[in-house]
Amino acid sequence: MQIPTNHTSLSTTLRNRREKLTNLINFPAILWSGSPSIRNFPLNTFPFRSSSHFLYFAGLPIEDAAIRLEAGKLALFMDNPPPSNLLWHGEIPTRDRLAEIIGADAAFPMSELKSHAQNSATISVQNPTTKITQSQILNRDIFPSNKPQEIDLELTQAIISLRLSHDDTALTEIKQAAAVTVEAHKAGMAATKNAKFEANIRAAMESIIISHNMTCAYPSIVTVHGEVLHNGEYYHPLQTGDLLLADVGAETTLGWASDVTRTWPVSGKFSPTQKDIYDVVLAAHDRCISQIKPGVEYLDIHLLAAQVIAEGLVDLEILKGKPEDLVEMDAHALFFPHGVGHLLGLDVHDMEDLGDLAGYEIGRERSSRFGLGFLRLNRPLIPGMIVTIEPGFYQVPAILNDLEMQQKYQNIVNWEKLEYFSDVRGIRIEDDVLVTTKGAEILTQELPTNTDAIENLV
Ligand code: GLY
Ligand code: MN
């Protein structure tokens, strides 16, 4: 584990975070980091990723550790590595050293956690083994479960309210991730000319991330089949006339994410039909970002994207009718089925381990409407929040070939006209946007979005 050189400022940040938590809850909380998942034998594990709630207060991705937070104090629980570890993994900082680095007030071996666990709240980690430990140590079910404990819900809401708005340390980290991501996308565009397969471009992009000692914040999407929204295949050959969609983001060593998508022509030149649709998506992207400021409802940003896409598709004669009516009947969702974006922070879809508790304001629930059901964020924007803005246009066979959809939208879609646009399978344009006190700052602004600049980079 890499120890940050400026760990004094990290420990100050961590102290501030736990003091803020103290103002929100009046009971102890225990947060676990999780264990590495075993691949085939105990020492061959998948890469470890700490629970983000642990990371937020402990700062470092310490494996098999827990922290107890109470009244602004932090106690670290972990076992020192056995001496045999030295041979295979070299020297690992001891419990006392890590406690000092993160500014802990006390440090104990794991065996002492149970005796410090009475009446503590927690949040469930993803790792199943650790989840069982959580239940055993607290001697009860843990949230999320069928019967969430009141204190776990209270802790969850308190942590959400802190993590919704990023402090300076988080912003510095996310900006670093964003800068590397921008570089990765430029490298991907530059590599296209000599690339034969999607995998070649993925390699060019991820090599930038790896060479900055970062990791990918999520499985990269680098595909000429952008109509598969989270395409995880990289074997397709690149052909003249294809659009390549790359949704790739870096994550810093302390776990802070970025999330960027660009779509570019393999040949270096958008066809007229590709440019027409690209400019509709870009108009939605730009209009949405121009509206971002505190107090604005993210749902309204999503509906604005839907409206601009409906307008553009009417202008291109793909959709028929009044754009407002088309949005009302979810016709835009035939081509833009997902939400316009999500929270970004320690996770790419920040705090989605909590279901919709973070994404949705208390009292709001996800709509079952086709055009709203995949919206991940429905809150008013506040300063310090980072959101993605990622409108898109896709020709998803599962949607467009669905008989019910075809019947419902039979007179709304100009199916013949749509045929002209068959060289547009998927386009998404995504940036990371910080809500400031006055408006917005695009953290990934250095990466161009307009077709001329993209053609130049490719
Ligand atoms: N970057 C993938 C997503 O936002 O879902
Ligand atoms: Mn995204």
Side-chain angles (χ1 to χ4, degrees):
M1 179 176 27
Q2 190 187 349
I3 306 298
T5 45
N6 57 346
H7 58 78
T8 322
S9 92
L10 176 66
S11 69
T12 307
T13 297
L14 300 176
R15 186 167 307 111
N16 288 339
R17 288 178 187 164
R18 54 186 188 262
E19 273 164 14
K20 284 189 192 156
L21 182 68
T22 301
N23 295 331
L24 299 172
I25 57 168
N26 58 6
F27 45 80
I30 299 179
L31 297 171
W32 274 260
S33 65
S35 301
S37 299
I38 291 165
R39 193 172 152 154
N40 66 328
F41 70 99
L43 290 178
N44 186 17
T45 60
F46 290 101
F48 174 68
R49 176 54 162 76
S50 164
S51 146
S52 293
H53 304 297
F54 174 93
L55 266 185
Y56 188 74
F57 292 100
L60 297 178
I62 310 169
E63 296 178 13
D64 294 309
I67 50 173
R68 182 180 187 277
L69 300 161
E70 186 177 26
K73 301 261 187 268
L74 183 153
L76 173 67
F77 293 81
M78 60 171 275
D79 292 329
N80 281 324
S84 60
N85 220 64
L86 271 176
L87 174 62
W88 301 102
H89 299 291
E91 193 132 18
I92 291 177
T94 61
R95 173 174 57 240
D96 288 343
R97 175 77 184 119
L98 287 171
E100 185 193 325
I101 290 165
I102 67 172
D105 301 283
F108 302 98
M110 264 299 179
S111 56
E112 299 214 15
L113 184 56
K114 185 133 185 133
S115 64
H116 289 81
Q118 293 92 335
N119 306 323
S120 295
T122 195
I123 298 180
S124 161
V125 296
Q126 298 297 327
N127 177 264
T129 322
T130 312
K131 227 183 240 188
I132 294 168
T133 307
Q134 286 181 282
S135 270
Q136 284 169 346
I137 296 279
L138 297 172
N139 203 21
R140 61 178 176 80
D141 272 356
I142 47 158
F143 179 76
S145 72
N146 292 336
K147 288 188 222 139
Q149 299 268 326
E150 202 51 48
I151 56 168
D152 292 350
L153 267 178
E154 255 187 73
L155 171 67
T156 301
Q157 289 297 356
I159 290 181
I160 288 171
S161 73
L162 297 180
R163 287 184 55 190
L164 277 178
S165 174
H166 296 296
D167 55 32
D168 287 346
T169 303
L171 289 180
T172 304
E173 286 279 315
I174 292 174
K175 286 179 182 180
Q176 283 169 6
V180 169
T181 299
V182 166
E183 215 188 299
H185 278 259
K186 287 183 176 168
M189 292 178 194
T192 305
K193 198 170 165 194
N194 294 321
K196 291 196 165 51
F197 295 92
E198 295 158 335
N200 304 142
I201 297 177
R202 176 194 181 199
M205 298 182 80
E206 292 191 2
S207 85
I208 298 291
I209 294 173
I210 294 165
S211 69
H212 282 85
N213 196 28
M214 293 192 186
T215 52
C216 292
Y218 51 92
S220 299
I221 301 162
V222 183
T223 183
V224 291
H225 284 283
E227 76 277 14
V228 180
L229 298 186
H230 281 173
N231 204 328
E233 312 271 22
Y234 312 102
Y235 65 82
H236 299 109
L238 306 176
Q239 283 164 355
T240 314
D242 281 341
L243 283 177
L244 183 106
L245 185 155
D247 183 343
V248 177
E251 173 177 307
T252 67
T253 48
L254 298 187
W256 296 89
S258 61
D259 181 8
V260 170
T261 309
R262 288 292 184 271
T263 308
W264 63 84
V266 163
S267 67
K269 191 96 188 123
F270 287 90
S271 73
T273 39
Q274 289 170 345
K275 183 168 161 47
D276 280 346
I277 303 267
Y278 186 97
D279 284 341
V280 170
V281 178
L282 184 58
H285 166 275
D286 291 353
R287 287 276 300 283
C288 288
I289 291 179
S290 75
Q291 295 305 304
I292 291 188
K293 63 176 183 199
V296 167
E297 287 287 347
Y298 194 77
L299 171 63
D300 290 338
I301 301 283
H302 174 75
L303 290 171
L304 176 61
Q307 172 76 18
V308 175
I309 286 171
E311 282 166 9
L313 297 185
V314 169
D315 288 346
L316 293 175
E317 298 173 8
I318 292 173
L319 288 179
K320 295 182 272 189
K322 278 213 292 292
E324 306 83 71
D325 298 343
L326 295 171
V327 171
E328 194 64 37
M329 59 196 296
D330 293 326
H332 65 280
L334 285 168
F335 303 101
F336 169 44
H338 59 76
V340 76
H342 49 84
L343 293 166
L344 181 74
L346 275 167
D347 287 302
V348 62
H349 292 178
D350 207 27
M351 297 184 275
E352 246 180 41
D353 59 314
L354 306 172
D356 278 340
L357 283 177
Y360 276 60
E361 181 88 346
I362 293 176
R364 296 184 188 176
E365 278 186 13
R366 234 179 235 244
S367 164
S368 56
R369 260 179 64 178
F370 174 43
L372 296 178
F374 291 113
L375 184 59
R376 299 173 188 276
L377 178 59
N378 186 347
R379 282 181 175 273
L381 301 176
I382 56 169
M385 202 179 240
I386 299 182
V387 296
T388 66
I389 293 296
E390 49 177 308
F393 172 97
Y394 316 86
Q395 298 208 49
V396 183
I399 294 177
L400 298 178
N401 296 340
D402 182 274
L403 285 182
E404 245 178 66
M405 290 285 183
Q406 286 183 350
Q407 270 165 9
K408 182 167 176 197
Y409 297 106
Q410 191 174 9
N411 300 319
I412 299 292
V413 177
N414 183 341
W415 299 97
E416 269 174 33
K417 190 82 188 190
L418 187 59
E419 295 265 309
Y420 283 103
F421 295 88
S422 60
D423 66 346
V424 186
R425 293 193 285 263
I427 292 176
R428 179 161 63 253
I429 309 170
E430 176 177 30
D431 279 301
D432 302 341
V433 185
L434 168 68
V435 183
T436 62
T437 47
K438 294 207 182 84
E441 179 186 345
I442 308 172
L443 303 181
T444 43
Q445 173 118 42
E446 291 302 310
L447 189 63
T449 48
N450 72 71
T451 50
D452 285 349
I454 285 184
E455 285 178 353
N456 279 336
L457 284 169
V458 178

